[in-house]
Structures are given as structure tokens and as C-alpha cells.
Amino acid sequence: SAYSVAEAQLILSEHDDISFILLDMVMETQNAGLQLVRWIRETLRNQLVRIILRTGQPGLAPEDEIILNYEINDYKSKSDLTIQKLSLTVVNALRSYRDLVSLENKRKSLELALDHTLRIQRLKSSHSIHEHIPGIFISLADDSDTSYDTINFFLTGYQNGEIQVLRTSPNWENFRGASLQDVLAHLNKSELF
């Protein structure tokens, strides 16, 4: 809870993972809530948090004007906000935030994969290329907490007249340098996929 714009700004500055704000339009002044909305979107540059503006005096600021001029996600009159409507509003805000965070994580993953791909294009030696390919796998993993140690992979290349394992994840390190045929002989199909 915050009882002023300054308190709200402090909380939002310290916590970038707040999913939604139930915001009163009237706080210290008649439009302090709207000033906070502008600060969140323009100064803090937080587009993810869902802002639900509520007011006890809808005549002061008509809904259509507020929605068009401020980047809020919902506008509720206090007199219309029953417990059931509030519950549904919160559920919708949480779902919307979850979806936006997921999209943002995917965007960041694609940027990382693109960065690794561009680095690979600039490399000349196949050894250097094999060093960067794991980064692409990691950046495309769905779980943003995925680490190099949790991804299983091996990269092969043609060497000494046969296909050999050139690079592996740490838990498959004992296969490095082995022929692909030997590796497949030791692993059953369910372990590979």
C-alpha cells in the first residue's frame, strides 16, 4: 500500500515485478493518480504493470478522456466496483501481466539468439563456431532461469574421416571426440530426445 505519489514511486522504483496497481485518481490532489500514471509509463518506462484506475468522482475525469490520454488498462468507478467485479478485474490484470511478461521474455531470448547468430556469421574457424552455438540453445530455452548446465546437447562435425562429437554440454563431456556412431550405440532413443 502507498498513501501518496511519493510512496508509490518509491515502491515501484524498488520493485520492478509488480503485476498490477489499483490506483485512486484522487490522492494528494485531484489528479495525483494521473500524474503517477504518467510517471510510471514515461519516467519509469514500465509498460508491463497493469494499471486499474478507480475513482469516486467519475464526473471530474470522464472515462473516455482518461483512457485515451493516459496509458491505463482499466477504469472503474468505486460505486460500481463490487467484490465480484474487483475479483474479476484482478484476475484479468494478472493474466494480462503474465502474458506480457512471457512475451517480453521471448523477445529477449530471440535477441540473444540473434546476437549469437551474428557472432557466428563473423567467425571463420569451426572451433569458434562450436563455442557459440550453445548460447543459441540457451537463449531459446523457454525457462529464463535455464543455465548452461541444464541443457543437454552435442554438436558434431566431420573429422578424421568420420562424424565426431566436437562440443557437448557438461554432463555429456565424456562423449567429446567420440564418433557419432559410437555415441548412438551407447544411448537409447529416449535418452536422446
Side-chain angles (χ1 to χ4, degrees), residues 114-132:
L114 178 61
D115 181 56
H116 284 288
T117 303
L118 292 173
R119 286 184 195 178
I120 288 170
Q121 286 179 340
R122 290 188 289 257
L123 297 172
K124 303 272 189 244
S125 80
S126 64
H127 176 72
S128 295
I129 290 172
H130 285 96
E131 295 300 316
H132 284 280

Side-chain angles (χ1 to χ4, degrees), residues 14-167:
E14 293 175 347
H15 303 280
D16 64 354
D17 60 349
I18 293 174
S19 57
F20 76 95
I21 301 168
L22 191 58
L23 179 63
D24 256 329
M25 186 164 63
V26 178
M27 292 162 56
E28 300 96 318
T29 64
Q30 291 289 336
N31 65 350
L34 296 176
Q35 292 170 354
L36 181 60
V37 170
R38 281 240 160 92
W39 180 85
I40 291 166
R41 299 301 193 211
E42 294 172 8
T43 303
L44 195 58
R45 302 181 72 73
N46 185 336
Q47 301 301 321
L48 296 177
V49 67
R50 307 293 77 201
I51 301 174
I52 302 158
L53 189 70
R54 55 185 214 134
T55 182
Q57 304 166 350
L60 286 177
E63 181 178 355
D64 57 348
E65 180 182 316
I66 297 297
I67 289 175
L68 290 173
N69 294 323
Y70 295 87
E71 289 188 50
I72 64 169
N73 304 102
D74 207 346
Y75 181 99
K76 299 289 183 187
S77 170
K78 287 182 186 177
S79 60
D80 294 337
L81 203 55
T82 64
I83 293 294
Q84 183 180 8
K85 286 182 181 178
L86 177 61
S87 297
L88 294 174
T89 299
V90 168
V91 168
N92 284 334
L94 289 171
R95 285 179 179 162
S96 177
Y97 178 79
R98 176 201 61 202
D99 294 343
L100 288 172
V101 167
S102 176
L103 285 171
E104 180 64 12
N105 289 338
K106 300 253 187 264
R107 185 190 65 76
K108 288 177 182 176
S109 294
L110 288 172
E111 279 182 358
L112 282 171
L114 178 61
D115 181 56
H116 284 288
T117 303
L118 292 173
R119 286 184 195 178
I120 288 170
Q121 286 179 340
R122 290 188 289 257
L123 297 172
K124 303 272 189 244
S125 80
S126 64
H127 176 72
S128 295
I129 290 172
H130 285 96
E131 295 300 316
H132 284 280
I133 289 177
I136 294 175
F137 292 140
I138 292 167
S139 62
L140 292 175
D142 284 338
D143 184 359
S144 60
D145 295 329
T146 300
S147 71
Y148 177 71
D149 294 338
T150 62
I151 295 190
N152 296 315
F153 67 90
F154 63 91
L155 304 171
T156 62
Y158 194 74
Q159 211 166 2
N160 301 327
E162 64 182 353
I163 298 176
Q164 289 184 342
V165 175
L166 303 177
R167 181 106 164 95

